[in-house]
Amino acid sequence: MANSINLLLMLKLVLTVLVVAFSPLCLCRKTNGGGYLYPQFYDRSCPRAQEIVNSIVAKAVAKEARMAASLIRLHFHDCFVKGCDASILLDSSGTLMSEKRSNPNRNSARGFEVIDQIKSALEKECPQTVSCADVLALAARDSTVLSGGPSWVVPLGRRDSKGASLSGSNNNIPAPNNTFQTILTKFKLQGLDIVDLVALSGSHTIGNARCTSFRQRLYNQSAGNDFTLDQYYASQLRTRCPRSGGDQNLLNLDYVSPANFDNSYFKNLLSFKGLLSSDQILVTKNQVSLDLVKKYAANNHLFFDQFAESMVKMANIFPLTGFSKGEIRKNCRKINVG
């Protein structure tokens, strides 16, 4: 009897997918993995899903503006490792080694409690229906909007992985001290191009960076200080980031409007006031990226449009889709048992 019910539910879901996919109004996205994501995925199974996500994210950002950048970063760090499958949310257990322990995430990745709150509310509303991977995608969009940035329609239907990759997290995510070519290569390996690189770097218009992420620009250059950094700005940074100690001290990535999602980040780069080396090299190491920085600095609407487009493209990196791949976790920190 139970098997018959499960079969009927599966057939009903397949029919819904086919109806939506072939609708002329469907904003379906074929993913790198070959499956389909579409915005209407939860319209019948959990119609209040997006409302629930937005409500909890709004409360979290109202309580702490920095949380918006943290949730966007979680989505980015998830998608660059094994695809957009919520692997970053898994805690270590048994033989599974959490990506939270990687160099890019340790002592810096945050927002997990907000995702827990969202998942708990969704499980009450519609048990084992909305994936943690989709929660990350929606939370990143809502965080952007709540900070004054652009909105976009989020294609949905991702499933959650049953594993994580600590090595992938260490190797795939761009680092603050990577060369321009290394960062571009890491983007290209995910199916993203130089336009996506520059536009998505614009998320650094909000949020903070730890002293340990940019100290080398202030003190440890082989030929003295980093002269791609405005020297008056550098002297201000040294007051908060000493030569030793204070590794966890936080400074705004965008010193002009740190809580507002806008194009001042790009204007800062043109004034040689990008905080991270990985920011400033967008204007010092490549003509194409420099031209894009100039365009976005001059036109906020252009930046917003491209950022939204690149976020949708990033969220399409090898998601798990269909019935045979992954699962819908009950708890985003743990793989389902049984």
Side-chain angles (χ1 to χ4, degrees):
M1 181 67 176
N3 289 337
S4 298
I5 293 174
N6 288 337
L7 181 59
L8 286 172
L9 288 173
M10 187 175 291
L11 289 172
K12 183 177 179 181
L13 186 53
V14 170
L15 182 60
T16 301
V17 170
L18 291 173
V19 169
V20 173
F22 288 99
S23 166
L25 299 177
C26 178
L27 298 174
C28 302
R29 292 271 181 165
K30 190 167 186 179
T31 70
N32 289 351
Y36 282 93
L37 302 177
Y38 56 94
Q40 305 90 344
F41 191 84
Y42 299 114
D43 280 5
R44 294 189 179 184
S45 60
C46 194
R48 292 188 59 241
Q50 296 199 45
E51 176 189 337
I52 290 170
V53 175
N54 181 264
S55 174
I56 296 174
V57 171
K59 290 176 183 176
V61 173
K63 183 178 180 180
E64 182 192 16
R66 179 189 172 203
M67 186 55 67
S70 298
L71 292 173
I72 295 171
R73 187 169 182 259
L74 269 187
H75 184 40
F76 179 88
H77 281 211
D78 178 48
C79 290
F80 266 61
V81 183
K82 294 169 71 283
C84 304
D85 60 2
S87 60
I88 192 174
L89 302 178
L90 289 169
D91 290 337
S92 294
S93 64
T95 59
L96 189 152
M97 298 181 66
S98 175
E99 293 169 17
K100 297 174 184 178
R101 299 170 56 183
S102 71
N103 292 328
N105 294 329
R106 188 173 58 250
N107 298 323
S108 65
R110 58 196 302 275
F112 300 108
E113 294 79 8
V114 177
I115 301 301
D116 291 340
Q117 292 174 32
I118 295 170
K119 184 59 175 172
S120 178
L122 288 170
E123 285 301 300
K124 290 178 182 178
E125 179 78 13
C126 34
Q128 269 192 280
T129 301
V130 182
S131 70
C132 301
D134 279 344
V135 169
L136 284 174
L138 290 169
R141 189 271 310 275
D142 293 346
S143 294
T144 302
V145 175
L146 288 163
S147 303
S151 184
W152 59 91
V153 176
V154 179
L156 301 165
R158 300 165 191 80
R159 289 170 66 82
D160 302 323
S161 69
K162 297 181 180 181
S165 176
L166 180 61
S167 62
S169 188
N170 276 320
N171 297 325
N172 297 359
I173 297 172
N177 60 349
N178 280 163
T179 66
F180 178 86
Q181 192 56 51
T182 296
I183 294 173
L184 182 58
T185 298
K186 288 181 177 182
F187 268 72
K188 286 183 175 180
L189 288 172
Q190 306 298 339
L192 303 175
D193 58 26
I194 194 168
V195 175
D196 302 311
L197 164 57
V198 177
L200 292 175
S201 295
S203 64
H204 285 180
T205 184
I206 58 175
N208 310 101
R210 296 176 297 156
C211 173
T212 186
S213 299
F214 58 87
R215 177 184 281 124
Q216 80 281 358
R217 303 190 70 199
L218 305 178
Y219 304 104
N220 299 329
Q221 300 296 314
S222 58
N225 297 329
D226 183 347
F227 289 102
T228 66
L229 181 65
D230 177 86
Q231 290 306 293
Y232 177 71
Y233 181 47
S235 67
Q236 292 179 307
L237 295 177
R238 290 189 193 98
T239 65
R240 295 288 309 282
C241 185
R243 187 181 293 272
S244 62
D247 286 0
Q248 304 304 315
N249 291 355
L250 296 174
L251 279 90
N252 295 320
L253 285 161
D254 174 359
Y255 77 98
V256 174
S257 54
N260 297 327
F261 199 102
D262 55 30
N263 66 340
S264 60
Y265 163 83
F266 297 104
K267 296 175 183 178
N268 295 342
L269 297 187
L270 295 175
S271 299
F272 295 96
K273 294 176 181 177
L275 184 61
L276 304 179
S277 171
S278 54
D279 292 324
Q280 198 60 58
I281 57 177
L282 296 181
V283 304
T284 60
K285 298 298 183 180
N286 184 278
Q287 186 61 48
V288 175
S289 65
L290 171 59
D291 291 342
L292 288 167
V293 168
K294 289 179 178 178
K295 288 180 180 178
Y296 298 150
N299 191 328
N300 195 55
H301 292 296
L302 182 65
F303 164 49
F304 276 20
D305 288 346
Q306 185 56 57
F307 182 82
E309 184 176 329
S310 292
M311 283 295 285
V312 172
K313 187 175 177 182
M314 184 189 77
N316 276 353
I317 298 174
F318 298 109
L320 301 172
T321 56
F323 305 107
S324 61
K325 297 178 182 177
E327 63 182 8
I328 305 298
R329 287 187 217 138
K330 299 176 185 177
N331 180 333
C332 291
R333 294 174 181 264
K334 303 175 183 177
I335 297 168
N336 296 338
V337 177

